[in-house]
Amino acid sequence: MDQAFGLKQMLSAMSSRPAADVPSAHQASSLLAAAPATRRHCRTIAVAGGKGGVGKSTVAVNLGMSLSMAGHDVVLLDADMGLANVDVMLGLTPSRHVGHLLDGECTLEELMLPAPRGLRVVPAGSGARRLAQLDNGEHAAIIRAFDELVQPPEYLLVDTAAGLSDNVTMFAAAAAEVIVVVCDEPASLTDAYGLTKVLSRDFGVRRIRMVANMVRNEGDARALHQKLARVSDRFLDVVIEFGGWVPHDERLRQAIRRQCAVVDLWPSSHSALAFKQLAGAVDKWVEPDRAGLDRIAFFGGRTTPVGGVPR
């Protein structure tokens, strides 16, 4: 039966119904209660690092769980498609990954794994060569899959891979905010600058939040920020803001070995307190204006990747 015809018939029947058939106030309120809620806004944050080994996955996991523990609905997407490790860090055992989503074998909702403290994880595959070789069209399909969620989360955190591949830059640029994690090593600063340059020049990202990891104190963290911001201010059209810092902490290393988030296992440790402070700051960030955004993005933006039609 033609759906439009069916709707017209139903509306016609309703308009000709006797007044006695009109639902009572109680019935009307029940119908309103059953109606779907308005889709809420989702804040999207990519956690990147340029160089491997700076602890970006640790930051993503503990920031996500800190926000979840604070009462927010949080989803963490593992966007390191070939060498995923978020599930390992949290002791999860996924039976499916984003490859199954791309193949139409499951929905995004079905793919999500429950993690401690209410956090939900979208797992990627580890050692899956096919996932490591996804093209831009497939990256775009993963990003677009989030548009189909009936109720978006309050926060979507995206743990990107290391390096400057399309896998990294597309997922980072698709988020409203980008956190770049650095540590006190020359290679970390160099790679963070390289990533910032690509995101600014090729994707129009105009603001980056820098988080210093594994530093001794806030003074060292701000010194790292000044080094990165000084060269970026000189050569790039992007603002690098100081986002926060995480100290060296043996408890954090122990939590990683035990496949737990330190904010859950040792909530009073130095690193856990730092992650909670970071989560509090994130919750107060003012999101950039995304009007006129000319790139593919989570929950809005272009329908095709920058550079043309998906392959």
Side-chain angles (χ1 to χ4, degrees):
M1 176 183 292
D2 178 64
Q3 288 181 326
F5 177 77
L7 287 171
K8 290 177 183 176
Q9 290 286 88
M10 182 180 70
L11 290 172
S12 176
M14 290 176 63
S15 63
S16 60
R17 181 186 300 169
D21 289 341
V22 175
S24 65
H26 175 73
Q27 289 174 316
S29 62
S30 299
L31 290 170
L32 289 172
T38 303
R39 282 170 64 90
R40 66 185 171 207
H41 174 66
C42 177
R43 305 184 64 179
T44 57
I45 303 171
V47 182
K51 179 183 180 296
V54 297
K56 64 175 181 49
S57 294
T58 301
V59 171
V61 165
N62 284 280
L63 173 58
M65 192 162 292
S66 295
L67 288 167
S68 184
M69 291 168 69
H72 297 291
D73 181 17
V74 185
V75 170
L76 174 55
L77 166 63
D78 192 338
D80 190 345
M81 294 300 158
L83 294 171
N85 60 7
V86 167
D87 56 324
V88 176
M89 295 181 70
L90 290 172
L92 306 177
T93 54
S95 59
R96 295 179 289 200
H97 52 63
V98 292
H100 297 95
L101 174 67
L102 290 171
D103 292 338
E105 297 178 18
C106 65
T107 65
L108 182 60
E109 290 277 9
E110 292 168 342
L111 182 57
M112 290 183 188
L113 281 176
R117 301 291 185 171
L119 180 67
R120 291 181 290 165
V121 173
V122 179
S126 182
R129 184 179 179 186
R130 179 215 166 181
L131 293 181
Q133 298 175 337
L134 297 181
D135 61 33
N136 284 353
E138 290 168 312
H139 294 147
I142 295 170
I143 293 168
R144 283 292 176 221
F146 285 85
D147 292 346
E148 305 303 319
L149 292 177
V150 175
Q151 184 64 279
E154 292 179 72
Y155 283 94
L156 171 64
L157 299 187
V158 184
D159 180 28
T160 69
L164 288 175
S165 67
D166 289 346
N167 179 30
V168 176
T169 55
M170 275 195 67
F171 282 113
E177 296 275 6
V178 180
I179 292 175
V180 172
V181 181
V182 301
C183 59
D184 194 4
E185 297 176 7
S188 174
L189 285 170
T190 300
D191 289 357
Y193 174 79
L195 176 60
T196 300
K197 180 179 179 180
V198 170
L199 292 176
S200 171
R201 180 191 63 197
D202 299 343
F203 293 90
V205 175
R206 294 290 172 256
R207 183 175 69 192
I208 300 284
R209 313 271 191 175
M210 193 215 81
V211 171
N213 191 28
M214 300 180 287
V215 292
R216 292 180 300 177
N217 51 52
E218 184 175 351
D220 287 354
R222 290 193 177 274
L224 283 176
H225 170 251
Q226 286 300 314
K227 290 178 182 178
L228 186 58
R230 191 179 302 119
V231 65
S232 298
D233 290 345
R234 182 176 179 184
F235 297 108
L236 305 178
D237 183 19
V238 63
V239 174
I240 298 186
E241 297 187 4
F242 182 74
W245 64 287
V246 181
H248 276 291
D249 186 0
E250 182 57 30
R251 286 296 196 191
L252 179 56
R253 295 172 59 86
Q254 293 173 6
I256 293 172
R257 287 195 292 267
R258 293 177 61 169
Q259 296 180 274
C260 298
V262 71
V263 295
D264 187 25
L265 193 58
W266 287 295
S268 298
S269 63
H270 295 303
S271 56
L273 294 176
F275 285 122
K276 291 176 184 178
Q277 184 174 2
L278 176 60
V282 165
D283 200 34
K284 295 180 176 63
W285 285 352
V286 177
E287 283 198 75
D289 183 10
R290 302 182 74 182
L293 185 67
D294 193 32
R295 62 178 186 267
I296 188 169
F298 291 102
F299 306 105
R302 291 174 61 102
T303 55
T304 58
V306 172
V309 178
R311 297 190 298 273

